[in-house]
Amino acid sequence: MLARIYRPAKTAMQSGKAKTRQWRLEFEPASARTIDPLIGWTSSADMNGQVRLDFDSKEEAIAYAERYGIPFRLHEPQEPPVIIKAYADNFATNRKVSWTH
């Protein structure tokens, strides 16, 4: 019953960073999902796959896992580079690339 502690990335469907500040503790799947032959739904006998706990900090998540004896793997987030852009740069006279529409 190994758990992952990570900070979720932003979804591809949004440009904001909502719900990416908290840390999440989630259990690794213990067994593969099976497909129901009649309906096609997937199912699993692993009930820990439904558990997701959110914490305000990495230290709180680690302390929770250690308090309850849960083995965990910590995934550090990769911070994207901050690129500062201004709308006025689109109309600068010293552009390095040609203007295209």
Side-chain angles (χ1 to χ4, degrees), residues 49-86:
Q50 299 176 9
V51 177
R52 284 187 182 152
L53 301 173
D54 290 332
F55 298 93
D56 290 329
S57 69
K58 173 176 59 173
E59 290 77 21
E60 288 179 16
I62 292 172
Y64 179 86
E66 289 175 347
R67 184 176 342 131
Y68 290 103
I70 301 170
F72 64 91
R73 185 178 327 148
L74 182 67
H75 297 276
E76 291 288 339
Q78 295 179 356
E79 297 295 329
V82 178
I83 301 171
I84 299 173
K85 297 179 184 178

Side-chain angles (χ1 to χ4, degrees), residues 91 98-101:
F91 307 101
S98 61
W99 177 263
T100 59
H101 267 228

Side-chain angles (χ1 to χ4, degrees), residues 1-53:
M1 183 167 84
L2 183 68
R4 290 186 301 162
I5 297 176
Y6 66 98
R7 203 167 77 193
K10 72 181 191 82
T11 65
M13 300 302 292
Q14 67 183 10
S15 60
K17 295 183 179 177
K19 299 181 182 178
T20 62
R21 305 275 187 239
Q22 292 188 333
W23 287 80
R24 180 171 289 164
L25 184 139
E26 192 173 80
F27 290 100
E28 296 280 342
S31 62
R33 293 183 171 266
T34 58
I35 298 174
D36 181 70
L38 181 63
I39 300 175
W41 294 350
T42 58
S43 64
S44 174
D46 181 25
M47 298 306 288
N48 285 332
Q50 299 176 9
V51 177
R52 284 187 182 152
L53 301 173

